[in-house]
Amino acid sequence: MTPTVKLNSGHEMPLVGFGLWKVDNSTCADTVYKAIKAGYRLFDGACDYGNEAECGAGIRRAIEEGLVTRSDLFIVSKLWNTFHEASRVEPICRKQLADWGIDYFDLYLIHFPVALEYIDPSVRYPPGWFVDDAGTEIRSSKATIQETWQAMEALVQDGGLARSIGVSNFQAQLIYDLLRYARIKPATLQIEHHPYLVQPLLLKAAVAEGITITAYSSFGPAGFIELDMARAKQATPLMEEATIKKVAEKLGKTPAQVLLRWATQRGVAVIPKSSSETRMKENLESSDFDIVAEDLEAISSLNLGLRFNQPTNYFPTDKLWIFG
């Protein structure tokens, strides 16, 4: 059974889950179904991934066949940037739940601390970053994080639409500010976290506040090469990095398993994805061994402060960003 971590909300979250970013719509339902068969119970989705309806179809199939019940699963989704105004939060959460075909999210996150101008889902969904279809202009909204967070709290307190809430891509200063007015403390902080981007002070700050860390992009540049990202192509793939390979050979594990265990052994949850059923199983079994302290430190020492997932990496810097 996959180990779990107890969130500050009182709910248990699997330490290893399945990430749904860049899972193709045409194969998504089957991928989710196969992942459930392989033993995954946490699925990490988002409005922006554009595949929530397909994810829901895979879950329905597994439930209808008796593989799992809804209560066996831990479903995570995220509020996109164009829905940060208080009046937009509950309606879009309900739409996302309907796409999944479920009544509540186990965890619902603010995807980025970036508020963009509202785009009606009937006009374009998912909305993406640009206000126009041509992709030439980014327009911000005046919504504050406080306004958005208080609307997120209402999902828990008033509607029962989310059991836990959290944030993603926040830095320590924003978290400290949020904690000044939060009635419900963020249960998790989801961040890019791998040996090239360790962020030890951010982890320390979150843990001190009782906030669980979830790592995405645990394999570093691997997930960004297909996006034709220059900095990802220039970095040595972590699967081929000498320290990672040495530890993997010593333990008789794959480099991927070592990268995941480096995180989970330090209390950080992970959400890898794979279309291969063999690798699905290997990733899920990445918590059944330990890495000695010396090797954990050696892996952490690979830190380069190299971040791949930031907004400016997804669009040219000559695009127009208008602040409302």
Side-chain angles (χ1 to χ4, degrees):
M1 180 178 292
T2 303
T4 63
V5 59
K6 190 168 187 176
L7 304 179
N8 61 30
S9 60
H11 296 285
E12 295 281 342
M13 183 180 80
L15 202 55
V16 180
F18 194 91
L20 296 161
W21 181 45
K22 296 187 301 175
V23 177
D24 190 79
N25 293 64
S26 64
T27 59
C28 189
D30 282 342
T31 297
V32 169
Y33 173 79
K34 289 175 182 177
I36 291 174
K37 286 189 73 174
Y40 286 88
R41 295 297 178 261
L42 185 157
F43 290 89
D44 182 85
C47 158
D48 191 51
Y49 301 167
N51 58 11
E52 291 191 292
E54 291 79 7
C55 293
I59 284 173
R60 281 194 299 278
R61 179 183 170 191
I63 291 175
E64 287 169 1
E65 292 185 11
L67 297 179
V68 290
T69 64
R70 170 64 185 95
S71 62
D72 292 327
L73 301 174
F74 193 99
I75 307 301
V76 184
S77 192
K78 306 178 188 75
L79 177 79
W80 184 242
N81 306 337
T82 51
F83 305 108
H84 276 211
E85 286 89 353
S87 63
R88 310 292 186 190
V89 173
E90 181 178 329
I92 196 60
C93 180
R94 288 187 181 277
K95 172 180 168 39
Q96 291 177 256
L97 287 168
D99 286 345
W100 280 90
I102 57 179
D103 297 326
Y104 65 90
F105 287 121
D106 294 275
L107 177 63
Y108 195 58
L109 309 176
I110 296 178
H111 203 151
F112 282 95
V114 177
L116 299 180
E117 184 174 293
Y118 174 70
I119 297 174
D120 192 291
S122 66
V123 174
R124 188 171 69 246
Y125 191 84
W129 288 92
F130 298 97
V131 72
D132 58 325
D133 292 337
T136 60
E137 182 180 319
I138 301 166
R139 189 182 296 273
S140 68
S141 90
K142 296 180 188 275
T144 63
I145 292 173
Q146 181 172 359
E147 173 185 348
T148 306
W149 186 252
Q150 289 172 343
M152 295 279 285
E153 291 175 324
L155 298 178
V156 179
Q157 295 176 322
D158 301 333
L161 301 182
R163 293 191 168 178
S164 301
I165 52 176
V167 295
S168 180
N169 300 302
F170 276 50
Q171 290 299 307
Q173 295 91 333
L174 289 176
I175 294 171
Y176 287 137
D177 183 70
L178 186 156
L179 291 173
R180 292 176 64 89
Y181 50 76
R183 291 171 296 165
I184 300 176
K185 183 179 286 190
T188 68
L189 166 65
Q190 188 174 127
I191 55 171
E192 180 180 347
H193 180 65
H194 47 74
Y196 289 158
L197 185 66
V198 180
Q199 305 192 79
L201 295 180
L202 177 57
L203 266 66
K204 184 177 180 179
V207 170
E209 295 294 341
I211 300 170
T212 298
I213 300 290
T214 297
Y216 65 76
S217 299
S218 294
F219 304 142
F224 297 90
I225 291 174
E226 63 194 75
L227 299 178
D228 200 31
M229 191 177 288
R231 65 173 63 192
K233 292 179 179 179
Q234 293 163 0
T236 300
L238 278 168
M239 305 287 193
E240 299 173 16
E241 203 287 324
T243 301
I244 305 297
K245 291 175 67 176
K246 180 180 177 182
V247 175
E249 289 167 5
K250 182 194 300 185
L251 293 168
K253 300 294 181 179
T254 68
Q257 287 176 315
V258 167
L259 288 166
L260 296 174
R261 186 55 178 153
W262 168 77
T264 59
Q265 192 170 325
R266 294 159 47 249
V268 176
V270 293
I271 45 173
K273 76 172 176 68
S274 177
S275 58
S276 161
E277 292 180 57
T278 298
R279 286 194 293 272
M280 281 184 189
K281 187 172 183 294
E282 288 176 349
N283 291 343
L284 194 60
E285 294 174 348
S286 60
S287 297
D288 63 359
F289 64 96
D290 286 332
I291 301 171
V292 298
E294 180 182 356
D295 288 340
L296 283 176
E297 181 57 35
I299 295 171
S300 296
S301 71
L302 298 173
N303 187 27
L304 298 172
L306 185 56
R307 185 187 307 276
F308 301 105
N309 190 40
Q310 55 188 16
T312 53
N313 288 345
Y314 296 107
F315 45 83
T317 55
D318 62 348
K319 299 301 182 185
L320 181 63
W321 190 313
I322 298 177
F323 290 90

